[in-house]
Amino acid sequence: MRQPPSGTVTFLFTDIEGSTRLWEDRPDDMRAALIEHDTIVRTAIDAHAGYVFSTGGDGFGAAFGRAADAVDAARVAQEALAGHPMLKVRMGINSGEVHERDGDYFGPPVNRTARLMAAAHGGQVLLSAVTAELVPGLVLQNLGEHRLRDLGSAMMVWQLGTGDFPTLRTLDELPGNLPVQRTSFVGRVDEVKELVALVGSERLVTLTGPGGVGKSRLALQVAAELAPVYRDGVWFASLASLAEGELVAATILQALDVPERRGEPALDTLCGWARTREALLVIDNCEHLAAAVAGDVDALLEASSTTSVLATSQAPLGVRGEHMWAVAPLSGSKSASHDSVELFVDRARMARAGFELTADNEDAVVEICERLDHLPLAIELAAARVRGMTPADIARRLDQRLRLFATTDRAAPGRHRTLDAAVRWSYELCDETQRRVFDRLSVFAGPFKIDAAEVVVSGEGVEDWEVLDAVLALVDKSLVVVDETDNDARYRLFETMRQFGHANLTTAAIQQHYRDRHADYYIDFVLSRRAQLHGKGDIAARAAVEDELENIRVALRHAADDHTSARFEQLFISLYTVWSLGRLVEGAAWVAALQGRATVDPAASILALGFASSMMLTRNMSIAEDLVQAAEDLWLSTRAAPPVVAISVASATAMMQGRNADAIEGCERALSMASDEHDPFVRGSVLSTCYAVLALCGSGNRLEALEQELTTVVEALGNRYFAAATSMTLVSIVGLTAPERAGELLRQTFVLNDEMRNHSSNSSVAMYLAFHELRAGDTAGAAHWAARSLQLAVDHGPGFIAQAASTTVAIVKRRSPRDAALLLGALQAHRARKHQPGTQIEADRESRQEMSLRRALDDQFEVFYSQGLDLGEDEMIAFAFEQLGVMTHDPT
């Protein structure tokens, strides 16, 4: 497969002229013609070493390592298309240095090639001056300087060959006054297409969004695309420097180059002009004069049925028939277009010639874009800093962003010369109440609901009933973002806005006051849901907590730093199930905060230490033992509450260390204490742990009674997490003691985990089901569950991939010892790379498999095993899926 060229690349863009009308009028003929077109153009590109990276619409985008190849491909294709009754293809060719990622290209040369092609007519090939210089000896026509629809300065355009064509479709040939832009327009391809369609069909469209999000640049690009549509032109009027609303109409007249009439109001003159014109007016920066603009635009649209308006404003104008379009920040680095990273690289190259995105600086650039919320102005100001800083330096200083980012471009609007000024421009459009609310909202670390805002920010000059109106006004002014779902509305601040608001909470005392209120709200939020998290309704309660987790983390840190109350211990206990369901790493981090805290409420501390030891049991047994000891010591010194959970964990550690007698004794002690435990969730946790320990230690005399007691607690609690956890405990035992019950219990556990989206645990459940089916002789069923186990591990728990692969080896061995040997080699290589030796059960099983395969394959074992050792993780997974797929459909 041909590799995409890099470095200096020549691009060829093609498009069928009038294809939209042809599809509407002659769809059948067009369908046949398009097949012919694609064959001709692609053949020409392939024959000249071109790399096709885009096939959008009815054309091609191709990259060439040599400019001559691109020109020859265009010539050959046009010769083959000449005389075709339907296929009139226009082409543009341009060269330049670009950024390539995953076979796609980004950068101004790509965009300029597309604009060059758009200026051509069917059958015409246009070249940039750069490309013309790279290919001497061509027969060219100099078409002079032209402004393309990328709004850049005029460029020299050449035509390949001597054919006669109409005047180019460039901005020079169309009425209007769209200003030259000194920087390229980056990204937003889909937004431009959608807005072109919307503005073309609606009389008034308003682009809204915070300062620096790119409203003006997007409006200009949309206007440039629409320039050929409006007979009387596309006209741009900026109100940024205007302070008087009564001068809006006069300012627009000046942009139109229409003189005011003596004795006639400027608005009347404007309406008279619009009445007979088919034009588009782009009115930029309306927010500070919104009322005046709204009145004038309403009158203008009333006077003319053929003039349209595209406005930019941080808030809607509120005019009849207005269609609002919220301009979002640029897409992130993981999206298909990589717009924000592309913008950074493009502007960095302007600041420092030769800047490149490399493996060494890419992570820092991505971090910069993400932490700047993908806001174009912030990214541009950050990129300008590469004159004297590396991307890593910039990333490290992002907390100083409002002061750090400034431009020396004196032509930039004052509000865009620093990030602080850009935000302040929006902020100063707010009234006093809105400013107070905005500043106080900066204590929220993530999205929040309005009821949270009412509690946290009201008081000190803001009534609680004023908060909603203020937040909605801030949304209209684009200082606050609203995310709406079917049943909910949540609000958030971009990080840059949050830093600005936080800086406005001028004293440490004021900042701390609202931080305290924020922490109090979210601590109460969690503690009020403890009964649900540990009992009935846990799924809904956990979902509510997950939604607020960014703010809850702040409250947790606040509580951890407060050594005068036990609220941190209470929070830790309440959130135990949240940590246990896919957040064990985060839970372990809060365990570290729990250790060494002063004791305020001994009973709460003892229970928190017990749950912490349970969480750490399979992660770090040494820490788990320390936590158990701390709980025991605290009980001995205070007798506040028996350390029942900690003792049950101690019995489990004894069992895992082979000290079965100590394990059984610990369980007897824990079960005795648990008989007086009033909290059913705590009691059930102890019963579950002790059931597993006693079964694995061979002490079966109490198992039947324990299982019945445990089942009773599960049913009484009605807690789905606890039900699933208990099923997981029973599964590993029942499979050994009562295989006939294992299948039903495993499927029940799988459903419970799936209901709670506990997909990583379900990778283990599916593994057990695979072995269950294998023992029953159903290899197809075993392969089905092994494939599900592997897929769940890949998607939700990479740490379980080895476990799933180990299961697969056992299944594949039934069909093909050779493939099993290869997969076993891949598994061992994977374990070595990931430092995952596996459990003793897995190690013993894989050792037995190796001995069995060596006997079956004799000298051939090393051949296939060695092939597996050379496979990477992705190759191992693909091979495992392939083998399981064969066995699912062919169990023999």
Side-chain angles (χ1 to χ4, degrees), residues 151-274:
L151 296 171
S153 56
M155 63 175 284
M156 189 68 70
V157 178
W158 299 80
Q159 176 188 300
L160 182 64
T162 59
D164 291 328
F165 295 93
T167 303
L168 296 183
R169 298 183 175 98
T170 60
L171 294 178
D172 310 86
E173 310 302 327
L174 300 168
N177 71 334
L178 295 181
V180 172
Q181 299 297 296
R182 290 179 296 172
T183 58
S184 59
F185 181 75
V186 173
R188 301 196 188 275
V189 175
D190 293 337
E191 289 170 87
V192 170
K193 288 180 181 177
E194 293 176 32
L195 276 168
V196 164
L198 180 63
V199 175
S201 62
E202 302 296 339
R203 301 285 311 287
L204 171 61
V205 175
T206 302
L207 305 186
T208 63
V213 80
K215 301 183 297 296
S216 300
R217 193 65 178 85
L218 177 58
L220 283 169
Q221 193 58 52
V222 171
E225 297 292 338
L226 286 166
V229 174
Y230 291 91
R231 182 192 64 211
D232 296 299
V234 175
W235 302 88
F236 176 80
S238 174
L239 308 182
S241 60
L242 192 66
E244 300 81 10
E246 60 270 19
L247 297 181
V248 168
T251 301
I252 296 174
L253 284 176
Q254 291 171 7
L256 294 168
D257 199 23
V258 172
E260 295 185 48
R261 297 174 183 171
R262 188 182 299 275
E264 181 178 72
L267 180 58
D268 291 350
T269 306
L270 178 60
C271 290
W273 178 91

Side-chain angles (χ1 to χ4, degrees), residues 374-446:
H374 307 289
L375 287 168
L377 175 61
I379 291 171
E380 290 186 351
L381 294 174
R385 287 283 164 172
V386 302
R387 286 190 193 94
M389 301 171 69
T390 67
D393 291 333
I394 297 170
R396 281 192 293 270
R397 290 166 173 78
L398 280 180
D399 289 339
Q400 308 164 30
R401 68 188 72 181
L402 295 173
R403 291 183 288 107
L404 178 66
F405 297 155
T407 179
T408 57
D409 182 359
R410 295 184 180 180
R415 66 187 185 284
H416 282 183
R417 289 183 188 169
T418 69
L419 196 53
D420 179 88
V423 179
R424 192 167 299 280
W425 167 266
S426 305
Y427 182 77
E428 289 177 351
L429 297 173
C430 301
D431 63 29
E432 186 62 31
T433 298
Q434 292 162 11
R435 293 182 194 180
R436 287 174 176 168
V437 170
F438 174 80
D439 294 343
R440 297 169 190 180
L441 290 176
S442 67
V443 299
F444 286 93

Side-chain angles (χ1 to χ4, degrees), residues 708-732:
Q708 291 177 356
E709 189 177 2
L710 188 54
T711 302
T712 301
V713 173
V714 169
E715 293 174 353
L717 266 179
N719 184 273
R720 307 300 281 175
Y721 161 81
F722 188 69
T726 301
S727 290
M728 287 290 289
T729 299
L730 294 174
V731 156
S732 59

Side-chain angles (χ1 to χ4, degrees), residues 344-345 348-349 352-357 361 365 386 391:
F344 184 95
V345 173
R349 284 173 175 166
R352 193 180 83 206
F355 177 86
E356 294 293 340
L357 189 69
N361 65 26
V365 171
V386 302

